[in-house]
Amino acid sequence: MDGMDLAVANMETLALYAAAGVGLAVLVLFLLLRGAGQKRAERTEMVIAQHMGQMAQRVDQLATGQAHLDGNLQAQAQSQGQIATLMEQRLGEVQVNMHENLAKVQRSTGENLASMQQKMADTMAAQQLQMQESLANMQLRTGGALNDMQEKLNLSMTGNAKQTATSLTQLQERLATIDKAQENITRLSGDVLSLQDILSNKQTRGAFGEIQLNDIVSKALPSDSYALQHTLSNGKRADCLIHLPNPPGPIVIDSKFPLEAYELLRKAETQAQLNEAARMLRTSVKKHIKDISEKYIIEGETADGALMFLPSEAVYAELHANFPELVREGFAARVWIVSPTTCMATLNTMRAILKDARMQEQAGAIRKELGLLYSDVERLGTRVENLDRHFGQAAKDISEIKISADKAGRRARRLDNFDFEELAQTSDDKVVPLTKPEA
């Protein structure tokens, strides 16, 4: 059917081409008739007749081609029918072969399934035997492990009993140690009470402040820059005198500890007690400021100021927090209140001042040594120049010695080779006569 459709389509195409050719010829004829004049009418008719004849020949040729095409289409239709018959035969053969192959596959599949079932049954039986053997071995191992665990548990319980006894013994020893520590604590509390007794006594409290001041000063300054318990020209003994250069000059540090007033201030429960304790603290601190200002500030001997050392940070903080007028009064009297922390900072500043002063004292000696060093450097430069000149002369002498040695070597080689002629040509020196000239 496809061949017939193709033949019909080809015939329709040829018919369209023929109709198009006829239309084109008519159009050309019309144009020629319209555009030609009367003078060329006869010639045009002849040309048209020729064209019409050619068109007739072409139509005949198209008819002949159509007849051949019809024959070819019929032949193609016959061949297609034969091909369809052959394909039906081949399809039947293929179906028969497929049925046979399917039967073979079914038979082989059944055989394979039977063999696989047999193998699986054998494998399961073997695995069942292995599992039974494994369970028996596991039961044996479990029994042995339980026995071992029981023995270890018995040993562990025995060891735990021993360890418990040992731990009880160690606990008793530690309890004895705790009893000793309790005795030490009791003894320490007695020492604390004795420290309170020391602080309650003014003389012992002053010694405590002096010891703390000595410890701070000895850590901050060199030993030759201060004096402890120094007696001034007015007969008063200062706790510490720092030998600072002028200005400001030696400065006194005196230790004071207004403990009673501070303890009353801490223990006050009513406003009246608080006011009384504050009054006592003001009175005590003012007295200390006045005493230091009158005793330890001597014009021409000490600095124009002194330090009051409070060996308690709590008292120092209380003064600056709640009694700023006392601090200002100290500034007015040129008495500066310091605590252990601020005293250490102040002493570090003094150490820097002492270091700078000592460097200034040694500046003259340093300048003298620098002058001597400059003279030594100049002398060294002169001697280096002389040595360089000697080295230059020695190098020049060595160069001349090398030249003379080379000349002597060349002459020796010529004499050894009997090159007298060459020697005579190159020699610039006069030949020394063998005999003395006559007088």
Side-chain angles (χ1 to χ4, degrees):
M1 293 298 291
D2 294 337
M4 292 295 291
D5 293 338
L6 181 61
V8 172
N10 291 330
M11 289 177 68
E12 291 177 354
T13 302
L14 290 173
L16 290 173
Y17 285 160
V22 172
L24 181 62
V26 172
L27 180 61
V28 171
L29 179 60
F30 176 75
L31 292 174
L32 291 174
L33 289 174
R34 186 178 179 181
Q38 293 180 358
K39 293 180 179 181
R40 298 181 182 178
E42 295 177 359
R43 188 181 297 176
T44 303
E45 290 177 358
M46 292 176 65
V47 171
I48 291 171
Q50 291 177 0
H51 283 294
M52 291 297 291
Q54 292 177 359
M55 287 178 64
Q57 291 178 1
R58 288 181 181 176
V59 170
D60 293 335
Q61 290 176 359
L62 288 172
T64 303
Q66 186 175 2
H68 287 298
L69 182 61
D70 292 335
N72 291 330
L73 289 174
Q74 291 177 0
Q76 288 181 0
Q78 293 177 0
S79 64
Q80 286 179 358
Q82 294 176 359
I83 290 171
T85 304
L86 181 61
M87 289 179 66
E88 289 177 355
Q89 293 177 359
R90 294 286 179 87
L91 183 59
E93 293 176 357
V94 169
Q95 288 178 352
V96 172
N97 291 330
M98 287 179 65
H99 287 301
E100 293 178 355
N101 291 330
L102 284 173
K104 291 180 181 179
V105 169
Q106 288 177 354
R107 287 195 298 272
S108 62
T109 303
E111 294 175 356
N112 292 330
L113 287 173
S115 62
M116 288 177 65
Q117 289 177 354
Q118 185 65 34
K119 289 180 181 179
M120 289 178 66
D122 296 340
T123 303
M124 291 178 67
Q127 289 180 355
Q128 187 174 4
L129 291 174
Q130 290 179 358
M131 288 178 65
Q132 291 176 356
E133 293 177 357
S134 299
L135 287 173
N137 294 328
M138 187 179 294
Q139 290 177 354
L140 292 174
R141 288 196 299 270
T142 305
L146 288 173
N147 293 328
D148 294 338
M149 187 179 295
Q150 187 173 4
E151 292 178 358
K152 290 180 180 179
L153 184 61
N154 293 330
L155 293 174
S156 177
M157 291 179 67
T158 304
N160 288 333
K162 293 180 180 179
Q163 289 179 358
T164 303
T166 305
S167 298
L168 289 173
T169 304
Q170 293 177 355
L171 181 60
Q172 291 176 355
E173 293 176 355
R174 290 180 180 177
L175 288 173
T177 304
I178 291 171
D179 292 335
K180 291 180 180 179
Q182 185 67 33
E183 293 176 359
N184 292 330
I185 291 171
T186 304
R187 208 164 40 247
L188 182 60
S189 62
D191 294 338
V192 171
L193 291 175
S194 63
L195 179 61
Q196 290 180 353
D197 294 337
I198 290 172
L199 294 177
S200 62
N201 190 348
K202 290 184 178 181
Q203 292 181 353
T204 55
R205 186 166 68 243
F208 174 76
E210 291 174 4
I211 292 171
Q212 191 173 2
L213 176 61
N214 296 343
D215 182 64
I216 294 173
V217 173
S218 61
K219 290 180 179 178
L221 298 177
S223 59
D224 59 344
S225 62
Y226 64 91
L228 300 175
Q229 300 299 320
H230 180 76
T231 303
L232 300 176
S233 61
N234 58 2
K236 304 299 181 180
R237 180 176 294 178
D239 292 336
C240 180
L241 180 68
I242 309 298
H243 301 297
L244 292 178
N246 289 315
I251 187 168
V252 174
I253 304 177
D254 193 64
S255 175
K256 300 297 181 183
F257 201 166
L259 182 63
E260 293 89 351
Y262 178 73
E263 288 182 347
L264 290 175
L265 187 66
R266 294 294 91 193
K267 294 177 182 178
E269 296 179 355
T270 63
Q271 186 64 35
Q273 292 177 353
L274 185 62
N275 294 334
E276 180 63 22
R279 186 189 63 78
M280 289 181 61
L281 184 61
R282 288 190 182 93
T283 303
S284 179
V285 173
K286 285 181 179 180
K287 183 178 183 302
H288 292 324
I289 292 173
K290 182 179 179 183
D291 291 341
I292 292 173
S293 176
E294 293 177 353
K295 293 178 181 179
Y296 304 123
I297 299 176
I298 303 173
E299 186 177 357
E301 183 177 355
T302 64
D304 190 17
L307 299 177
M308 184 175 75
F309 175 70
L310 293 179
S312 173
E313 296 287 348
V315 178
Y316 178 81
E318 182 69 25
L319 289 178
H320 281 76
N322 299 318
F323 301 91
E325 71 277 4
L326 295 178
V327 179
R328 289 194 296 270
E329 188 171 346
F331 289 163
R334 292 168 299 177
V335 176
W336 297 283
I337 303 172
V338 294
S339 67
T341 304
T342 57
C343 183
M344 178 62 75
T346 305
L347 291 176
N348 284 327
T349 305
M350 292 181 180
R351 183 175 60 185
I353 294 172
L354 288 171
K355 183 178 180 181
D356 184 66
R358 291 184 178 180
M359 289 181 65
Q360 289 180 0
E361 289 177 358
Q362 299 297 325
I366 292 172
R367 283 196 296 270
K368 182 178 178 181
E369 292 296 327
L370 286 174
L372 295 174
L373 179 62
Y374 181 73
S375 299
D376 292 339
V377 170
E378 284 186 343
R379 191 178 302 109
L380 179 62
T382 303
R383 291 177 179 176
V384 167
E385 290 177 358
N386 294 333
L387 182 61
D388 183 59
R389 188 168 55 254
H390 291 313
F391 275 131
Q393 185 64 37
K396 182 178 179 182
D397 294 340
I398 290 172
S399 178
E400 292 177 353
I401 290 171
K402 286 183 179 180
I403 294 172
S404 300
D406 291 338
K407 288 183 179 181
R410 288 197 298 271
R411 292 181 184 278
R413 286 193 297 272
R414 291 167 186 165
L415 289 172
D416 185 53
N417 296 328
F418 298 101
D419 294 336
F420 295 106
E421 294 180 357
E422 183 180 357
L423 182 62
Q425 293 176 359
T426 59
S427 177
D428 295 333
D429 299 334
K430 294 182 180 180
V431 178
V432 180
L434 296 178
T435 59
K436 293 182 179 181
E438 295 181 358

